[in-house]
Amino acid sequence: MAHSAKDVTRLAALDVGQAARVLSEVRSATLPGQRAPVPPRPVIEASWGRVLRGGVDPDHDVRAAPLSRDEIERRRRDSPLRHVLPVLREGLLSAADAAQHIMVVADADGRVLWREGSPSLLRRADGLGLEPGADWGEAVVGTNGVGTPAVTRRPVQVFASEHFVRSHTSWTCTGAPVTDPRDGRLIGVVDVSGPLETMHPATLAWVDAVVKLAEARLRELHLTSLDRLRAVAAPLLARLGGRALAVDRDGWTAAVTGMPYVSRVALPVPLAPGHCLLSAMGPCTVEPLPDGWLIRAADAPAPEGTARVVLDVAHPRRWSVTVTGDTGSWTHELSARHAELLCLLALHRPGRSATALAADLFGDPARTITVRAEISRIRRYLGVFLEHRPYRFCDAAEVEVLLPRNRHDLLPHSVAPGVVRARSAPERHAAVTPETGGAQP
């Protein structure tokens, strides 16, 4: 065969038909487990492996029930992506419409929230189930331009027969993940889709560039909102004694008094006025502010009961840590890097030195400064539950790890050597729990 699968997207700019034939042969051989004339691209091969293990049928178009109209509207209201729709439309829609493409904006769960573009293409997309409220997560509909970028956490172009489900192979989809610029958390995916004959390899760079503009706009909006909150809170804090701070609804700090500055405080969900326990401050009183909270440290010391820490890495794109103690519980969503770090610490309860963690994360034991900086950020929300020399969860904390059903699907975006080893290691660590199983002793 004259061309490798690696070169097919470039070949498509010259000969769409030949590129489609190459990929069709690769797909037809690889999915049944036969030897293909050339291997699929690594990002596609990895996705096909995840989808096959998940039981998706490549020959049957099985769809999850779409969300109700009310649920779509609720998710739209709650999504940060609503703030950057003008940026996305300006950067993508005019060119997409001229090229007979559509723009699809999905949330972190792979649910389509907005879909705009060529009317004729929208009608064709209806036939594929690519409609508002539909679930285009990779685990549901296979390799595609919405679900696969969400798992890999990087831009991906899925050309023709690189799609897992046969009914999708006449389209090419190019998607890029949108991350929260404050903490790196995945908040959605932006995808440009169309018939395979209308797509170009440069589409990948185009979509990624527009998404980066959208993320920059989100950062700008965040800083502006903190400035507004600071203007309200500063006079109040100036009259208070003791430790206090003003934070926005997500816990990002606008102003502090009587204590060192912390960029974010993990807040209980839901948070209401009154008394609460924060890991960074102990017992506190909470008062509402416009678009935020005034938090004052209480006089009473924090309770010393045993806490339970649950690290949830069971899902491919949403990770969290939940702490439960005598006075309640709170959950903090994790960035990709923090999910890797906490997973490594949870699977190595005796602890890891900064050198060992640098080797685990980067394959370079000299990168200890980066490790220490990330641990310092984690301390902002886990605080007293982490020890150092070596880094580890404190002995008083009961730690449980929720893993994927298949250990090979652990943090699939990660190339950290320690995580790669953990995917194939036997489950010999304490309190490691598969997603549907019970805690091991």
Side-chain angles (χ1 to χ4, degrees):
M1 187 173 292
H3 297 274
S4 71
K6 182 180 178 181
D7 299 324
V8 166
T9 54
R10 290 191 289 272
L11 173 62
L14 303 174
D15 190 333
V16 171
Q18 185 177 355
R21 287 191 293 274
V22 169
L23 289 176
S24 180
E25 293 177 18
V26 171
R27 179 182 181 278
S28 297
T30 303
L31 293 187
Q34 302 170 6
R35 184 180 179 86
V38 294
R41 292 188 293 141
V43 66
I44 300 301
E45 185 174 31
S47 175
W48 285 354
R50 291 191 296 270
V51 173
L52 282 168
R53 291 193 296 271
V56 179
D57 188 337
D59 296 316
H60 295 86
D61 186 356
V62 178
R63 306 173 188 175
L67 300 174
S68 67
R69 172 54 57 182
D70 288 345
E71 178 63 13
I72 293 172
E73 290 302 322
R74 186 194 67 79
R75 292 196 181 207
R76 285 175 174 175
R77 288 193 303 270
D78 292 344
S79 173
L81 295 173
R82 74 188 189 280
H83 299 302
V84 294
L85 281 177
V87 175
L88 299 175
R89 288 171 177 140
E90 182 178 355
L92 296 175
L93 266 186
S94 59
D97 191 54
Q100 292 290 291
H101 302 155
I102 60 172
M103 178 186 77
V104 176
V105 181
D107 65 14
D109 295 326
R111 291 286 186 170
V112 177
L113 298 185
W114 294 275
R115 189 196 66 161
E116 303 176 26
S118 164
S120 62
L121 261 293
L122 291 174
R123 289 191 292 272
R124 290 179 62 176
D126 289 339
L128 296 176
L130 187 57
E131 58 187 343
D135 189 343
W136 274 70
E138 187 185 73
V140 175
V141 298
T143 307
N144 71 91
V146 173
T148 301
V151 172
T152 62
R153 301 295 294 272
R154 63 187 179 92
V156 178
Q157 186 169 54
V158 184
F159 184 88
S161 289
E162 290 182 326
H163 285 90
F164 185 81
V165 175
R166 187 180 303 278
S167 61
H168 304 161
T169 58
S170 63
W171 283 57
T172 291
C173 304
T174 305
V178 185
T179 57
D180 190 326
R182 302 172 301 176
D183 57 13
R185 177 176 58 90
L186 179 72
I187 56 178
V189 173
V190 176
D191 168 81
V192 170
S193 292
L196 64 90
E197 64 271 12
T198 66
M199 200 59 67
H200 190 277
T203 307
L204 188 67
W206 168 46
V207 173
D208 188 34
V210 174
V211 165
K212 284 182 168 57
L213 289 175
E215 291 175 341
R217 176 59 175 159
L218 286 173
R219 180 179 294 279
E220 178 186 345
L221 292 171
H222 169 61
L223 295 176
T224 300
S225 68
L226 287 183
D227 285 342
R228 288 196 301 265
L229 180 57
R230 188 176 300 114
V232 173
L236 301 176
L237 292 174
R239 295 194 294 268
L240 294 178
R243 295 178 297 146
L245 73 168
V247 299
D248 69 9
R249 296 292 178 181
D250 295 319
W252 294 96
T253 303
V256 302
T257 186
M259 59 182 290
Y261 174 82
V262 291
S263 63
R264 191 180 189 184
V265 174
L267 301 178
V269 179
L271 180 62
H275 297 282
C276 72
L277 176 67
L278 300 181
S279 62
M281 297 178 65
C284 299
T285 58
V286 178
E287 302 173 26
L289 292 174
D291 296 320
W293 302 98
L294 176 64
I295 302 175
R296 293 188 288 174
D299 294 331
E304 297 182 355
T306 300
R308 183 167 179 262
V309 179
V310 178
L311 176 65
D312 187 349
V313 290
H315 307 288
R317 57 185 179 271
R318 178 167 290 178
W319 317 284
S320 66
V321 59
T322 300
V323 176
T324 303
D326 292 338
T327 59
S329 66
W330 53 267
T331 297
H332 179 75
E333 291 193 14
L334 300 171
S335 67
R337 179 66 73 208
H338 288 188
E340 291 172 333
L341 262 169
L342 290 177
C343 186
L344 290 168
L345 292 179
L347 296 177
H348 297 276
R349 285 304 305 276
R352 303 292 277 172
S353 66
T355 300
L357 282 176
D360 288 341
L361 287 172
F362 309 111
D364 181 359
R367 294 186 62 179
T368 56
I369 293 177
T370 304
V371 167
R372 291 190 177 100
E374 292 296 342
I375 291 289
S376 178
R377 295 184 183 101
I378 291 174
R379 286 187 185 280
R380 294 172 185 171
Y381 53 88
L382 274 186
V384 298
F385 302 110
L386 290 181
E387 303 283 357
H388 64 289
R389 296 180 184 174
Y391 291 118
R392 64 194 186 279
F393 283 97
C394 66
D395 294 336
E398 297 178 356
V399 180
E400 181 181 5
V401 187
L402 303 183
L403 295 172
R405 289 186 180 89
N406 189 310
R407 187 74 168 248
H408 290 90
D409 293 331
L410 174 66
L411 300 176
H413 70 282
S414 178
V415 295
V419 175
V420 172
R421 289 193 298 271
R423 289 183 188 133
S424 57
E427 295 179 5
R428 60 181 180 272
H429 304 284
V432 173
T433 308
E435 185 182 11
T436 57
Q440 299 178 0

Tab-separated table of all heavy atoms in Angstrom, residues 269-306:
chain	number	residue	atom	x	y	z
A	269	VAL	N	-20.695	21.090	48.942
A	269	VAL	CA	-21.782	21.205	47.964
A	269	VAL	C	-22.980	20.443	48.485
A	269	VAL	O	-22.900	19.246	48.730
A	269	VAL	CB	-21.356	20.642	46.597
A	269	VAL	CG1	-22.493	20.735	45.589
A	269	VAL	CG2	-20.131	21.387	46.071
A	270	PRO	N	-24.125	21.127	48.688
A	270	PRO	CA	-24.321	22.574	48.522
A	270	PRO	C	-23.801	23.336	49.736
A	270	PRO	O	-23.696	22.777	50.831
A	270	PRO	CB	-25.830	22.701	48.400
A	270	PRO	CG	-26.360	21.579	49.238
A	270	PRO	CD	-25.388	20.436	49.076
A	271	LEU	N	-23.498	24.606	49.545
A	271	LEU	CA	-23.062	25.478	50.628
A	271	LEU	C	-24.191	26.440	50.969
A	271	LEU	O	-24.807	27.021	50.079
A	271	LEU	CB	-21.812	26.261	50.206
A	271	LEU	CG	-21.229	27.230	51.240
A	271	LEU	CD1	-20.778	26.474	52.491
A	271	LEU	CD2	-20.078	28.017	50.642
A	272	ALA	N	-24.460	26.591	52.244
A	272	ALA	CA	-25.529	27.486	52.705
A	272	ALA	C	-24.991	28.368	53.817
A	272	ALA	O	-24.012	28.019	54.484
A	272	ALA	CB	-26.725	26.668	53.193
A	273	PRO	N	-25.607	29.517	54.053
A	273	PRO	CA	-25.177	30.365	55.167
A	273	PRO	C	-25.257	29.608	56.488
A	273	PRO	O	-26.144	28.781	56.704
A	273	PRO	CB	-26.178	31.518	55.127
A	273	PRO	CG	-26.661	31.559	53.706
A	273	PRO	CD	-26.692	30.137	53.253
A	274	GLY	N	-24.294	29.898	57.374
A	274	GLY	CA	-24.260	29.229	58.667
A	274	GLY	C	-22.892	28.662	58.941
A	274	GLY	O	-21.875	29.224	58.531
A	275	HIS	N	-22.861	27.513	59.629
A	275	HIS	CA	-21.602	26.894	60.030
A	275	HIS	C	-21.224	25.783	59.060
A	275	HIS	O	-22.076	25.067	58.536
A	275	HIS	CB	-21.719	26.315	61.442
A	275	HIS	CG	-21.988	27.354	62.489
A	275	HIS	ND1	-21.013	28.180	62.986
A	275	HIS	CD2	-23.139	27.707	63.126
A	275	HIS	CE1	-21.531	29.002	63.878
A	275	HIS	NE2	-22.829	28.735	63.988
A	276	CYS	N	-19.905	25.640	58.827
A	276	CYS	CA	-19.418	24.535	57.998
A	276	CYS	C	-17.980	24.241	58.393
A	276	CYS	O	-17.358	24.975	59.177
A	276	CYS	CB	-19.518	24.862	56.507
A	276	CYS	SG	-18.323	26.093	55.943
A	277	LEU	N	-17.440	23.151	57.848
A	277	LEU	CA	-16.054	22.760	58.085
A	277	LEU	C	-15.313	22.789	56.764
A	277	LEU	O	-15.712	22.122	55.801
A	277	LEU	CB	-15.986	21.351	58.689
A	277	LEU	CG	-14.575	20.786	58.901
A	277	LEU	CD1	-13.831	21.585	59.970
A	277	LEU	CD2	-14.645	19.310	59.277
A	278	LEU	N	-14.240	23.552	56.705
A	278	LEU	CA	-13.399	23.613	55.517
A	278	LEU	C	-12.043	23.013	55.832
A	278	LEU	O	-11.471	23.275	56.902
A	278	LEU	CB	-13.217	25.060	55.042
A	278	LEU	CG	-14.490	25.823	54.663
A	278	LEU	CD1	-14.130	27.221	54.185
A	278	LEU	CD2	-15.269	25.071	53.601
A	279	SER	N	-11.507	22.213	54.915
A	279	SER	CA	-10.233	21.543	55.180
A	279	SER	C	-9.111	22.543	55.385
A	279	SER	O	-8.170	22.297	56.141
A	279	SER	CB	-9.892	20.609	54.026
A	279	SER	OG	-9.742	21.332	52.811
A	280	ALA	N	-9.174	23.700	54.715
A	280	ALA	CA	-8.090	24.674	54.810
A	280	ALA	C	-8.171	25.559	56.043
A	280	ALA	O	-7.165	26.158	56.445
A	280	ALA	CB	-8.081	25.556	53.558
A	281	MET	N	-9.351	25.645	56.694
A	281	MET	CA	-9.535	26.602	57.780
A	281	MET	C	-10.161	26.012	59.028
A	281	MET	O	-10.181	26.658	60.078
A	281	MET	CB	-10.404	27.772	57.302
A	281	MET	CG	-9.793	28.591	56.183
A	281	MET	SD	-10.892	29.915	55.634
A	281	MET	CE	-10.969	30.952	57.102
A	282	GLY	N	-10.718	24.800	58.953
A	282	GLY	CA	-11.424	24.240	60.090
A	282	GLY	C	-12.850	24.780	60.164
A	282	GLY	O	-13.442	25.165	59.154
A	283	PRO	N	-13.446	24.843	61.388
A	283	PRO	CA	-14.826	25.343	61.528
A	283	PRO	C	-14.920	26.808	61.100
A	283	PRO	O	-14.076	27.631	61.455
A	283	PRO	CB	-15.103	25.184	63.017
A	283	PRO	CG	-14.120	24.165	63.494
A	283	PRO	CD	-12.898	24.360	62.670
A	284	CYS	N	-15.962	27.110	60.331
A	284	CYS	CA	-16.137	28.459	59.787
A	284	CYS	C	-17.601	28.868	59.845
A	284	CYS	O	-18.494	28.022	59.976
A	284	CYS	CB	-15.682	28.516	58.327
A	284	CYS	SG	-13.963	28.117	58.068
A	285	THR	N	-17.826	30.158	59.714
A	285	THR	CA	-19.168	30.678	59.467
A	285	THR	C	-19.183	31.292	58.071
A	285	THR	O	-18.204	31.892	57.625
A	285	THR	CB	-19.561	31.735	60.502
A	285	THR	OG1	-18.610	32.807	60.466
A	285	THR	CG2	-19.604	31.132	61.892
A	286	VAL	N	-20.311	31.119	57.408
A	286	VAL	CA	-20.432	31.527	56.008
A	286	VAL	C	-21.581	32.512	55.864
A	286	VAL	O	-22.682	32.282	56.378
A	286	VAL	CB	-20.688	30.293	55.101
A	286	VAL	CG1	-20.870	30.722	53.656
A	286	VAL	CG2	-19.540	29.305	55.228
A	287	GLU	N	-21.311	33.610	55.161
A	287	GLU	CA	-22.337	34.602	54.875
A	287	GLU	C	-22.346	34.886	53.376
A	287	GLU	O	-21.292	34.925	52.746
A	287	GLU	CB	-22.053	35.904	55.634
A	287	GLU	CG	-21.976	35.744	57.137
A	287	GLU	CD	-21.530	37.030	57.817
A	287	GLU	OE1	-21.758	38.110	57.237
A	287	GLU	OE2	-20.938	36.948	58.912
A	288	PRO	N	-23.512	35.081	52.801
A	288	PRO	CA	-23.575	35.304	51.350
A	288	PRO	C	-23.094	36.695	50.958
A	288	PRO	O	-23.289	37.675	51.683
A	288	PRO	CB	-25.064	35.128	51.028
A	288	PRO	CG	-25.763	35.456	52.309
A	288	PRO	CD	-24.860	35.021	53.416
A	289	LEU	N	-22.436	36.771	49.798
A	289	LEU	CA	-22.072	38.015	49.129
A	289	LEU	C	-22.623	37.949	47.705
A	289	LEU	O	-22.966	36.861	47.224
A	289	LEU	CB	-20.553	38.184	49.084
A	289	LEU	CG	-19.825	38.432	50.402
A	289	LEU	CD1	-18.325	38.433	50.168
A	289	LEU	CD2	-20.267	39.746	51.021
A	290	PRO	N	-22.705	39.061	47.017
A	290	PRO	CA	-23.127	38.997	45.603
A	290	PRO	C	-22.179	38.111	44.795
A	290	PRO	O	-20.978	38.400	44.702
A	290	PRO	CB	-23.057	40.460	45.157
A	290	PRO	CG	-23.182	41.255	46.416
A	290	PRO	CD	-22.507	40.450	47.473
A	291	ASP	N	-22.690	37.003	44.270
A	291	ASP	CA	-21.904	36.058	43.475
A	291	ASP	C	-20.757	35.439	44.262
A	291	ASP	O	-19.720	35.080	43.685
A	291	ASP	CB	-21.360	36.720	42.205
A	291	ASP	CG	-22.480	37.149	41.279
A	291	ASP	OD1	-23.452	36.387	41.141
A	291	ASP	OD2	-22.384	38.252	40.713
A	292	GLY	N	-20.912	35.319	45.595
A	292	GLY	CA	-19.848	34.713	46.372
A	292	GLY	C	-20.202	34.558	47.828
A	292	GLY	O	-21.375	34.639	48.227
A	293	TRP	N	-19.162	34.334	48.658
A	293	TRP	CA	-19.358	34.064	50.072
A	293	TRP	C	-18.301	34.794	50.891
A	293	TRP	O	-17.156	34.922	50.460
A	293	TRP	CB	-19.230	32.566	50.376
A	293	TRP	CG	-20.187	31.693	49.627
A	293	TRP	CD1	-19.937	30.991	48.491
A	293	TRP	CD2	-21.548	31.440	49.978
A	293	TRP	NE1	-21.059	30.299	48.107
A	293	TRP	CE2	-22.069	30.561	48.996
A	293	TRP	CE3	-22.385	31.854	51.025
A	293	TRP	CZ2	-23.375	30.093	49.034
A	293	TRP	CZ3	-23.688	31.390	51.056
A	293	TRP	CH2	-24.171	30.522	50.068
A	294	LEU	N	-18.697	35.222	52.087
A	294	LEU	CA	-17.760	35.714	53.085
A	294	LEU	C	-17.575	34.597	54.101
A	294	LEU	O	-18.545	34.137	54.719
A	294	LEU	CB	-18.302	36.966	53.766
A	294	LEU	CG	-17.461	37.532	54.916
A	294	LEU	CD1	-16.108	38.007	54.414
A	294	LEU	CD2	-18.201	38.662	55.627
A	295	ILE	N	-16.341	34.132	54.283
A	295	ILE	CA	-16.038	32.998	55.164
A	295	ILE	C	-15.142	33.480	56.292
A	295	ILE	O	-14.076	34.058	56.050
A	295	ILE	CB	-15.349	31.862	54.379
A	295	ILE	CG1	-16.249	31.391	53.223
A	295	ILE	CG2	-15.014	30.705	55.300
A	295	ILE	CD1	-15.590	30.372	52.330
A	296	ARG	N	-15.585	33.238	57.525
A	296	ARG	CA	-14.814	33.633	58.702
A	296	ARG	C	-14.478	32.404	59.531
A	296	ARG	O	-15.350	31.554	59.781
A	296	ARG	CB	-15.600	34.628	59.551
A	296	ARG	CG	-15.804	35.975	58.877
A	296	ARG	CD	-16.412	36.977	59.833
A	296	ARG	NE	-17.816	36.675	60.102
A	296	ARG	CZ	-18.550	37.330	60.999
A	296	ARG	NH1	-17.993	38.296	61.728
A	296	ARG	NH2	-19.818	37.031	61.177
A	297	ALA	N	-13.225	32.307	59.947
A	297	ALA	CA	-12.814	31.180	60.786
A	297	ALA	C	-13.472	31.285	62.152
A	297	ALA	O	-13.495	32.355	62.767
A	297	ALA	CB	-11.298	31.160	60.929
A	298	ALA	N	-14.016	30.161	62.637
A	298	ALA	CA	-14.625	30.126	63.973
A	298	ALA	C	-13.550	29.908	65.029
A	298	ALA	O	-12.421	29.512	64.723
A	298	ALA	CB	-15.675	29.019	64.038
A	299	ASP	N	-13.908	30.134	66.305
A	299	ASP	CA	-12.936	30.003	67.387
A	299	ASP	C	-12.669	28.546	67.757
A	299	ASP	O	-11.599	28.203	68.235
A	299	ASP	CB	-13.417	30.745	68.637
A	299	ASP	CG	-13.478	32.247	68.400
A	299	ASP	OD1	-12.688	32.732	67.569
A	299	ASP	OD2	-14.312	32.910	69.045
A	300	ALA	N	-13.664	27.695	67.555
A	300	ALA	CA	-13.527	26.300	67.995
A	300	ALA	C	-12.511	25.563	67.129
A	300	ALA	O	-12.427	25.782	65.925
A	300	ALA	CB	-14.880	25.596	67.906
A	301	PRO	N	-11.722	24.655	67.723
A	301	PRO	CA	-10.756	23.880	66.936
A	301	PRO	C	-11.472	22.852	66.069
A	301	PRO	O	-12.611	22.471	66.335
A	301	PRO	CB	-9.902	23.182	68.007
A	301	PRO	CG	-10.810	23.076	69.201
A	301	PRO	CD	-11.663	24.319	69.168
A	302	ALA	N	-10.804	22.426	65.001
A	302	ALA	CA	-11.377	21.421	64.104
A	302	ALA	C	-11.475	20.078	64.817
A	302	ALA	O	-10.627	19.734	65.637
A	302	ALA	CB	-10.525	21.289	62.854
A	303	PRO	N	-12.511	19.290	64.569
A	303	PRO	CA	-12.612	17.961	65.163
A	303	PRO	C	-11.474	17.071	64.694
A	303	PRO	O	-10.943	17.249	63.615
A	303	PRO	CB	-13.968	17.455	64.658
A	303	PRO	CG	-14.246	18.259	63.431
A	303	PRO	CD	-13.642	19.588	63.669
A	304	GLU	N	-11.102	16.088	65.540
A	304	GLU	CA	-9.962	15.242	65.232
A	304	GLU	C	-10.387	13.819	64.886
A	304	GLU	O	-9.622	12.885	65.036
A	304	GLU	CB	-8.988	15.234	66.415
A	304	GLU	CG	-8.409	16.619	66.709
A	304	GLU	CD	-7.421	16.590	67.848
A	304	GLU	OE1	-7.267	15.515	68.457
A	304	GLU	OE2	-6.807	17.628	68.125
A	305	GLY	N	-11.593	13.628	64.441
A	305	GLY	CA	-12.054	12.309	64.072
A	305	GLY	C	-11.403	11.814	62.795
A	305	GLY	O	-10.807	12.560	62.030
A	306	THR	N	-11.497	10.513	62.552
A	306	THR	CA	-10.931	9.917	61.348
A	306	THR	C	-11.743	10.327	60.122
A	306	THR	O	-12.975	10.274	60.134
A	306	THR	CB	-10.911	8.388	61.473
A	306	THR	OG1	-10.108	8.028	62.590
A	306	THR	CG2	-10.344	7.753	60.215
